[in-house]
C-alpha cells in the first residue's frame, strides 16, 4: 500500500489535503473551491485504488468557511463522476469559529478492499505527466484521467496503480520498489512534483502492453 491505513475486515482509509489554494485574498494559487476539492478527492481516490479498494464513504474537513461546503462537496462528486462511479455518502465538518485568511480543506475516504493481484512478471508504466500549481489547471490534457485508470482496472488491463505525489517519479519508484529509477518516458523530469497525482504508475502484463498503450494514449511510457 502507499499512503493508506488498513484495519478491520479489509477497510481502507486514505486522505489528502490542500492549503493556500482557493479564492481567498491570501491564497497564493487561485482556483475555485470545487476544483480544489476535486483534486484532493482525486488523490484520495487513487490511494484507494492503489490499496485495491473502492470508497464507501467520504469525509470533508473544511477550514475555509461554511460558504465553501457546497462547492467542496460538488468537487468530490465530480471526481467520482469522472471515474464513472457514483459518489458514496459525504459528511464532514466546517470550521466556523475562526475566520481563516487562507483556504484549507482535507478529503478523507473510507473504502473496502475489492481487488488484489500479485503482478508477477508484469511491468510498470507512467500515465500522465508531473504537474503542480497553476500548471495543473493550464495543462489539463497531460493529467492522468480517472476514468481511463478505472476502466483499465475494471477490465483487467491494469492489475494495480500507484499515484505519483509531490516527491516526484524517482522518489515514488524507489519507495515502491526499493530500487533506483533507471528508465522513464522522454520529456519527464523524474524529480518534478506531480502535485495532486497528475501522473500515475500502472502495472501491465506484457501481453497487454500494446492494448494499454492504445487505451492510455500519448502520455504513457515504460518505467523501470
Amino acid at each position: 500500500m502507499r499512503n493508506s491505513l488498513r484495519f478491520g475486515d479489509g477497510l481502507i482509509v486514505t486522505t489528502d489535503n490542500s492549503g493556500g489554494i482557493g479564492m481567498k485574498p491570501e491564497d497564493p494559487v487561485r482556483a475555485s473551491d470545487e476544483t480544489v476539492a476535486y483534486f484532493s478527492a482525486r488523490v484520495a481516490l487513487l490511494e484507494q485504488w492503489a490499496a485495491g479498494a473502492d470508497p464507501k464513504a467520504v469525509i470533508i474537513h473544511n477550514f475555509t468557511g461554511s460558504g465553501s461546503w457546497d462547492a467542496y462537496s460538488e468537487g468530490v462528486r465530480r471526481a467520482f463522476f469522472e471515474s464513472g462511479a457514483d459518489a458514496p455518502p459525504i459528511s464532514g465538518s466546517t470550521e466556523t469559529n475562526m475566520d481563516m485568511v487562507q483556504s484549507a480543506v482535507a478529503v478523507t475516504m473510507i473504502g473496502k478492499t475489492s481487488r488484489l493481484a500479485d503482478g508477477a512478471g508484469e511491468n510498470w508504466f507512467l500515465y500522465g505527466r508531473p504537474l503542480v500549481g497553476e500548471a495543473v489547471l493550464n495543462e489539463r490534457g497531460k493529467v492522468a484521467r480517472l476514468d481511463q485508470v478505472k476502466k483499465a482496472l475494471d477490465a483487467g488491463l491494469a492489475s494495480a496503480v500507484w499515484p505519483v505525489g509531490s516527491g516526484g517519479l524517482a522518489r515514488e519508484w524507489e519507495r515502491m520498489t526499493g530500487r533506483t529509477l533507471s528508465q522513464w518516458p522522454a520529456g519527464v523530469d523524474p524529480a518534478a512534483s506531480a502535485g495532486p497525482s497528475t501522473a500515475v504508475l500502472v502495472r501491465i502484463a506484457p501481453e497487454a502492453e500494446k492494448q494499454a498503450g492504445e487505451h492510455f494514449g500519448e502520455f504513457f511510457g515504460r518505467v523501470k
Side-chain angles (χ1 to χ4, degrees):
M1 295 192 298
R2 192 173 179 269
N3 293 334
S4 57
L5 174 67
R6 185 186 299 270
F7 67 98
D9 185 20
L11 295 176
I12 301 292
V13 179
T14 62
T15 192
D16 186 70
N17 58 70
S18 174
I21 306 175
M23 298 305 294
K24 285 182 176 283
E26 297 297 320
D27 288 332
V29 176
R30 307 287 284 180
S32 71
D33 290 336
E34 179 183 338
T35 297
V36 173
Y38 160 78
F39 278 107
S40 282
R42 167 194 178 86
V43 174
L45 182 54
L46 284 165
E47 295 279 12
Q48 287 281 324
W49 294 345
D54 288 301
K56 304 302 180 184
V58 178
I59 300 170
I60 298 175
H61 314 264
N62 170 24
F63 297 92
T64 307
S66 56
S68 296
W69 178 265
D70 288 345
Y72 282 153
S73 299
E74 187 58 31
V76 171
R77 284 190 285 269
R78 176 180 152 200
F80 282 93
F81 177 79
E82 181 186 310
S83 76
D86 292 331
I90 300 173
S91 186
S93 178
T94 296
E95 171 60 74
T96 56
N97 292 310
M98 303 296 292
D99 186 13
M100 309 291 285
V101 298
Q102 291 183 327
S103 301
V105 66
V107 176
T108 299
M109 296 186 184
I110 302 172
K112 180 79 171 178
T113 302
S114 58
R115 70 182 81 82
L116 291 173
D118 60 22
E122 298 183 345
N123 298 314
W124 286 94
F125 291 77
L126 182 70
Y127 169 47
R129 290 293 180 263
L131 300 170
V132 70
E134 293 183 355
V136 176
L137 303 177
N138 296 334
E139 301 180 56
R140 288 297 302 273
K142 298 179 181 178
V143 176
R145 289 173 45 182
L146 293 175
D147 60 336
Q148 292 296 83
V149 176
K150 186 65 162 58
K151 286 176 182 176
L153 286 170
D154 289 346
L157 181 60
S159 64
V161 302
W162 187 283
V164 178
S166 58
L169 173 61
R171 183 180 299 177
E172 208 69 71
W173 179 257
E174 184 173 357
R175 177 184 177 188
M176 183 178 71
T177 67
R179 304 191 304 270
T180 300
L181 184 70
S182 61
Q183 177 182 321
W184 56 90
V188 172
D189 179 356
S193 169
S197 296
T198 59
V200 181
L201 289 162
V202 292
R203 194 174 64 197
I204 309 292
E207 64 272 15
E209 290 178 6
K210 184 177 184 296
Q211 182 183 355
E214 295 170 350
H215 174 80
F216 289 111
E218 178 182 1
F219 301 108
F220 179 78
R222 176 77 187 275
V223 296
K224 63 179 183 180

